[in-house]
Amino acid sequence: MRGKTMEHAQKRKINFKGILTSSRTKRIALYALYFLAGLLGSRGMVFVRYAPFGAAAVAAVPIRSMWAVIAGSLVGYIWPSNAMHPIRYIAAIIAIAIIRCILNELVKIRSHPLFAPVVCFVPMLVTGIAMAFINGVTVNSITMYSAEAMLSAAYFFQRTSSLITSKRGVGTLNTGELACVVLSLGVAILALDNIAIYDISLGSIAAVILILFAAQYGGVAGGAIAGTATGVMLGLTTSGLSYISGAYAFAGLMAGLFAPLGKVALILVFILANAIGSLQIGNQMYMINGLYEVLAATLIYIIWPTK
């Protein structure tokens, strides 16, 4: 009886493992990932009240996964946020989906590198100009809607999506491809930047973790690219210049330089370089919060499993 019980338990274990590794489970996990990409993209704010990256994600992903991204983006735009005129983004997403479905059979057109950026840029610009005319045309509104449309034409989204489907390892990426991946992750960091605990931004913590890992595995190039990319993305959250852009870029570069000396040296150099880059802010409270964010990120980085 005991032998039969053990045999049944082993079969259940094997079946459970088979479920986890089945093609259907992997497909569901991929759709869940694309749903999350649409959700985070639509929650990432630039210039305080603009959220173009949910639409950009819809234009960039493979068409078979587009509906999962659309679902995530719709949830993100419907969910209350600081985004200005969410209905406009929903209209742009619908227009992008229709254009992609119509042109999907034209292989030469849809496989062109500029296809996704153009397909996103046009609906975003048209809907933005329409809102400008409804609310009163001003030079500032036209400028901001045009800048947002250009940001939504994110070539790095399409490049990252292609890398995901190619199943290439991280170690095989060149500097341009690494920059595209980091910028795409930067959009997720933008969404997390809206979440803060006692003024400690989860987005900034995630950005520092990304920079540290990029510096560890990518050296000078990885640290500099990750620091610059995440700094630029977080700098876009405000309407003016942000000290974060320069501080993260400098800290990432220095961390990459000292990465061969080990984790401890990498962390200490990053903390010191980030502190030096933050001196220009001139606000003690912001500097203290930034220090807490870096310390929290380095702690997570230290205890993160090696595998």
Side-chain angles (χ1 to χ4, degrees):
M1 178 66 79
R2 185 178 177 183
K4 290 184 178 180
T5 304
M6 291 179 65
E7 184 179 353
H8 287 315
Q10 187 176 9
K11 286 183 178 180
R12 285 199 298 271
K13 183 178 179 181
I14 294 174
N15 290 336
F16 181 70
K17 184 179 180 180
I19 291 173
L20 290 178
T21 57
S22 67
S23 59
R24 178 178 295 180
T25 302
K26 291 180 180 179
R27 188 163 58 250
I28 293 173
L30 185 62
Y31 287 149
L33 177 64
Y34 278 120
F35 177 88
L36 183 62
L39 177 62
L40 293 177
S42 61
R43 303 298 294 180
M45 300 289 168
V46 296
F47 310 137
V48 182
R49 299 195 63 190
Y50 297 85
F53 295 116
V58 173
V61 301
I63 195 166
R64 64 180 178 275
S65 305
M66 181 179 68
W67 305 109
V69 180
I70 290 175
S73 297
L74 290 177
V75 171
Y77 285 129
I78 293 172
W79 191 355
S81 68
N82 294 327
M84 186 166 54
H85 311 305
I87 189 66
R88 177 176 77 87
Y89 297 110
I90 296 175
I93 287 174
I94 294 173
I96 292 169
I98 292 173
I99 294 172
R100 292 196 63 185
C101 290
I102 293 174
L103 300 179
N104 187 54
E105 299 301 323
L106 304 177
V107 179
K108 288 186 177 180
I109 294 178
R110 66 176 172 82
S111 60
H112 195 281
L114 294 179
F115 176 72
V118 172
V119 165
C120 188
F121 174 80
V122 174
M124 287 294 292
L125 182 62
V126 170
T127 55
I129 298 300
M131 293 304 302
F133 275 99
I134 292 173
N135 297 314
V137 179
T138 63
V139 174
N140 181 66
S141 64
I142 295 296
T143 302
M144 294 303 294
Y145 283 128
S146 299
E148 181 193 33
M150 286 188 284
L151 278 176
S152 71
Y155 173 72
F156 59 83
F157 263 175
Q158 183 192 36
R159 194 74 189 95
T160 302
S161 180
S162 299
L163 291 171
I164 292 174
T165 54
S166 69
K167 298 181 181 180
R168 288 172 53 191
V170 177
T172 65
L173 304 182
N174 58 40
T175 53
E177 293 168 340
L178 180 61
C180 290
V181 172
V182 172
L183 283 169
S184 299
L185 292 174
V187 173
I189 289 172
L190 278 179
L192 295 175
D193 194 54
N194 296 322
I195 305 174
I197 302 174
Y198 297 108
D199 294 328
I200 306 301
S201 170
L202 297 186
S204 296
I205 294 174
V208 173
I209 294 173
L210 177 60
I211 296 169
L212 292 173
F213 275 111
Q216 178 183 348
Y217 294 105
V220 177
I225 290 172
T228 303
T230 55
V232 168
M233 295 301 288
L234 289 175
L236 290 174
T237 59
T238 61
S239 56
L241 294 175
S242 172
Y243 80 97
I244 290 179
S245 301
Y248 280 5
F250 177 59
L253 173 63
M254 297 304 296
L257 282 172
F258 284 84
L261 299 180
K263 271 190 173 184
V264 175
L266 185 153
I267 291 171
L268 292 176
V269 169
F270 180 90
I271 294 174
L272 180 60
N274 182 74
I276 294 173
S278 303
L279 290 176
Q280 60 179 308
I281 191 174
N283 186 309
Q284 186 176 3
M285 184 57 67
Y286 282 147
M287 288 183 64
I288 293 174
N289 289 340
L291 177 61
Y292 287 149
E293 291 164 353
V294 171
L295 292 178
T298 53
L299 177 61
I300 295 172
Y301 171 71
I302 291 172
I303 64 176
W304 196 282
T306 303
K307 291 183 180 182

